[in-house]
Amino acid sequence: MFDPRIEKHLISDQGEHVVDEVRKHWAATVSAVLELFCGVVVLLLTFFVPAQAWWVPALLGAAVTLHAIWRVFEQHTDRFVITNMRVFRVHGILSQRIATMPLARILDISVYKPLIGRIFGYGHFVFESAAQEQGLREIKYVGDPDQRGLTIQRVIQQAGLRGAAGRPGAEQFAGAPFAPAAPPEPPAAASVTVAPVADDRTSTAPVPDVRRGSTTSGWDWLADAQRREDERLAQLRGEAAPSPAPFDPDRTNTAPIELPR
């Protein structure tokens, strides 16, 4: 009844194991022990009061003593557990309460050590998380708080969750190895294909007009073919035959032409 049974709260099929189980420091029960001492003193007054009023100190002393014992057991059953996957707290005697928080949601841990705590070796944990769970915001009377704080930090680092804490989807990818992003590939050069547009109304480019009887330039056959093609196109369109284009020496090819000897 007074054992919280931590083992039954572990996810054994997922490989969860206890890294540290934190019990309350004995300083948490000092006030309960003092209350218990006062209750015993009140009970002893039963032998020093008149016989007609013995029940008054007996009833009052019993109530104080039972309340003190209840507080002692309440501190005894309050456990804070650190596992390789989460932190959780189990407390309560008749009705039990369990508060849990995954390691991925722990953003910061503050340790507060009052003067008395520094003397007797205890402190208080304050957790800052992505969502403040009731019952895990503050853990009081933690023995050896510096070592316990380092233990939590070490577990978070080993789980690979420090860099991913607070991000969307961090719990799903916790512990996954980080792969550097591949350099972006250069964009492929766009290929442009220009299709020739045929227009029956546009005649082909003029070629040098070489008249018969002139010096042979090597373009006679091309000029004759051009004129014949223009005449056929004009007949098909029902137009007059185009007049021969005047010879423009600037548009002719001045490269030397090898003529047969």
Side-chain angles (χ1 to χ4, degrees):
M1 179 178 179
F2 302 109
D3 185 6
R5 298 179 182 179
I6 301 301
E7 294 77 11
K8 71 177 183 179
H9 301 294
L10 300 177
I11 311 175
S12 303
D13 57 344
Q14 298 296 326
E16 184 180 20
H17 60 273
V18 176
V19 177
D20 192 9
E21 181 179 347
V22 181
R23 300 170 182 265
K24 289 286 188 179
H25 191 267
W26 59 265
T29 59
V30 170
S31 60
V33 172
L34 293 177
E35 183 180 358
L36 179 61
F37 177 76
C38 294
V40 173
V41 171
V42 173
L43 283 175
L44 293 178
L45 293 178
T46 305
F47 301 99
F48 301 97
V49 298
Q52 295 81 2
W54 66 270
W55 59 272
V56 176
L59 184 60
L60 182 60
V64 174
T65 301
L66 291 177
H67 185 262
I69 294 175
W70 179 271
R71 290 181 59 192
V72 171
F73 281 114
E74 187 177 26
Q75 298 297 332
H76 174 73
T77 56
D78 193 347
R79 306 289 175 84
F80 176 67
V81 183
I82 307 169
T83 72
N84 61 325
M85 299 172 59
R86 55 178 174 150
V87 294
F88 65 92
R89 179 188 179 192
V90 181
H91 60 106
I93 300 177
L94 299 180
S95 59
Q96 193 176 68
R97 297 181 180 179
I98 302 174
T100 182
M101 180 168 54
L103 295 176
R105 305 183 73 175
I106 300 177
L107 302 180
D108 190 19
I109 303 174
S110 301
V111 180
Y112 171 67
K113 293 185 292 183
L115 178 61
I116 301 298
R118 297 184 63 182
I119 296 174
F120 293 103
Y122 71 88
H124 311 308
F125 279 174
V126 179
F127 288 91
E128 298 293 339
S129 63
Q132 299 294 345
E133 285 85 357
Q134 296 296 329
L136 274 176
R137 174 76 167 73
E138 187 175 5
I139 307 296
K140 295 184 177 181
Y141 296 101
V142 177
D144 197 4
D146 294 332
Q147 187 62 35
R148 261 55 187 270
L150 291 176
T151 300
I152 297 177
Q153 297 288 348
R154 190 178 299 109
V155 172
I156 294 176
Q157 292 290 345
Q158 291 175 356
L161 298 174
R162 173 58 66 193
R167 300 178 184 173
E171 300 177 10
Q172 179 181 1
F173 300 100
F178 175 76
E185 297 181 357
S191 60
V192 180
T193 303
V194 179
V197 180
D199 188 358
D200 293 337
R201 293 182 173 272
T202 304
S203 60
T204 56
V207 296
D209 184 13
V210 182
R211 302 179 181 277
R212 297 182 182 276
S214 61
T215 305
T216 305
S217 61
W219 291 97
D220 297 345
W221 63 272
L222 184 58
D224 293 339
Q226 180 66 52
R227 282 191 294 270
R228 287 195 298 270
E229 184 178 355
D230 292 341
E231 291 175 359
R232 285 196 300 268
L233 292 175
Q235 292 176 0
L236 293 175
R237 291 196 294 263
E239 298 176 355
S243 59
F247 175 72
D248 186 3
D250 294 334
R251 298 178 59 89
T252 59
N253 187 5
T254 60
I257 301 175
E258 295 183 4
L259 300 176
R261 297 180 181 274

